[in-house]
Amino acid sequence: MEQYDLVIIGGGPTGAAAGLYSGRSRLKTLILERGMVGGQLAVTEDVENYPGFESILGPELGQKLMDHAEKFGAETKTVEVESVDLEGKYKKIITDGGTFESKALIVATGSMHNKLEVPGEDEFSGKGVSYCAVCDGAFFRDKELVVVGGGDAAVEEGAYLTRFASKVTIIHRRDELRAQKILQERAFSNDKMDFIWNSTVQEIKGNGLVSSLVLNDLKNDRAYEKSVDGVFIYVGLTPSTQFLNGVLPTDEQGHLHVNLKMETVFPGVFGAGDVRAESSMQVASAVGDGATAAIFAEKYIAENF
Ligand code: NAP
């Protein structure tokens, strides 16, 4: 079984920042990532609110953060963590690529997009239903698209989609967006963007590919059909903590409970970034969490081993 000082689960900005600090502390560090490095950054177009970078592409920032961690010695492996055993002095991390032992563990697994949970969503996934504008937007050149949601992701990615689509309609269940004001201002002044308020999607229909949505007008209690070529769904995120099987305490949505040092109730086990409760869910705060967790992990190791 391979042994490390610190294992970090998650290769997003939190995990990369933790890896950078841990590597510079000369801890034998392993970052485990199941997919692309960068976490949500990997599926984000422009990032304009990461201090020091007026504008940078999400995947580029994600890769830069990881390259920085690797430069200082952090190792990375592409594996899926299946479970953890936190009972002994050494934590065991069981993955589809073997089991690793570690003196300390940082859970930085971030979150996954939510589904709408309506008929047709699964059937047309990849056939007009998408959760990633950066990945799929270019397939919809001169097409009419709908974006569901009213948060930062819906409005920002909706604006990105206007580079390809002839029209992007945001469908929101309330009459006011949740997104940051600067994103709202840009959306309202974008000629290609339109809004349908107080409405939800009841069903996604098509024949091989998406062709229409059944919308529910909540104010007038009326259902009607709208023709569309594609639907991008941005209705929030759920923390990726399922693999923990309840070993660590979470809130109702699955966010980890941690203190200001990012410590969980298990000594030597930390939770950081979007996966923790009360996170502000920003790249800037995620890297701060990662640095904090790594600093206190190093202290824990120095005091206990
Ligand atoms: P979010 O902020 O949780 O917004 C989710 C949106 O989806 C809300 O408008 C919500 O409506 C709507 N919604 C939720 N469930 C729905 C359902 N079943 N049917 C229809 N609508 C539904 O999620 P997000 O936009 O993915 O952002 C997640 C976090 O990442 C946020 O903290 C955000 O600030 C951050 N983020 C930041 C940036 C940036 O800084 N540029 C970019 C992307 C994301 P209600 O408003 O009615 O609740």
Side-chain angles (χ1 to χ4, degrees), residues 37-218:
V37 300
Q40 292 294 325
L41 278 177
V43 292
T44 301
E45 179 63 5
D46 294 320
V47 177
E48 293 183 337
N49 53 6
Y50 188 69
F53 292 81
E54 263 177 47
S55 174
I56 182 165
L57 294 173
E60 187 188 349
L61 179 57
Q63 192 60 56
K64 272 183 189 291
L65 290 165
M66 191 54 85
D67 290 348
H68 199 171
E70 287 177 341
K71 184 184 169 205
F72 285 101
E75 234 183 277
T76 51
K77 283 190 196 290
T78 308
V79 292
E80 172 123 33
V81 176
E82 290 167 347
S83 60
V84 292
D85 177 354
L86 308 178
E87 289 303 331
K89 192 169 183 191
Y90 286 85
K91 325 296 170 204
K92 286 194 181 61
I93 300 98
I94 299 104
T95 80
D96 61 3
T99 297
F100 305 97
E101 262 192 355
S102 185
K103 294 173 183 167
L105 171 68
I106 297 177
V107 178
T109 41
S111 43
M112 295 280 292
H113 61 76
N114 289 340
K115 285 185 165 187
L116 268 181
E117 311 286 358
V118 296
E121 184 175 17
D122 287 341
E123 183 186 346
F124 294 108
S125 181
K127 297 171 187 148
V129 171
S130 172
Y131 305 85
C132 177
V134 179
C135 321
D136 300 328
F139 295 121
F140 294 92
R141 213 166 280 278
D142 300 323
K143 303 279 186 196
E144 287 212 8
L145 296 177
V146 150
V147 172
V148 188
D152 285 342
V155 176
E156 198 164 48
E157 301 306 313
Y160 168 72
L161 287 169
T162 62
R163 294 185 197 182
F164 312 101
S166 53
K167 187 175 167 193
V168 174
T169 303
I170 293 203
I171 296 180
H172 185 35
R173 63 184 176 184
R174 292 188 291 130
D175 61 2
E176 196 184 15
L177 296 171
R178 179 184 288 280
Q180 296 164 47
K181 289 287 181 277
I182 189 166
L183 300 178
Q184 295 195 27
E185 285 163 17
R186 282 184 200 161
F188 292 142
S189 63
N190 186 328
D191 290 343
K192 282 184 164 185
M193 286 179 90
D194 200 2
F195 298 83
I196 296 180
W197 305 106
N198 302 302
S199 298
T200 53
V201 175
Q202 242 175 36
E203 189 179 347
I204 300 169
K205 292 169 84 170
N207 186 8
L209 294 172
V210 168
S211 59
S212 68
L213 303 179
V214 179
L215 299 182
N216 192 10
D217 174 347
L218 300 171

Side-chain angles (χ1 to χ4, degrees), residues 267-299:
V269 180
F270 301 77
D274 290 7
V275 78
R276 73 164 171 93
E278 309 292 341
S279 163
S280 54
M281 313 272 283
Q282 302 295 305
V283 188
S285 55
V287 297
D289 272 15
T292 303
I295 287 167
F296 288 103
E298 186 202 349
K299 281 202 165 116

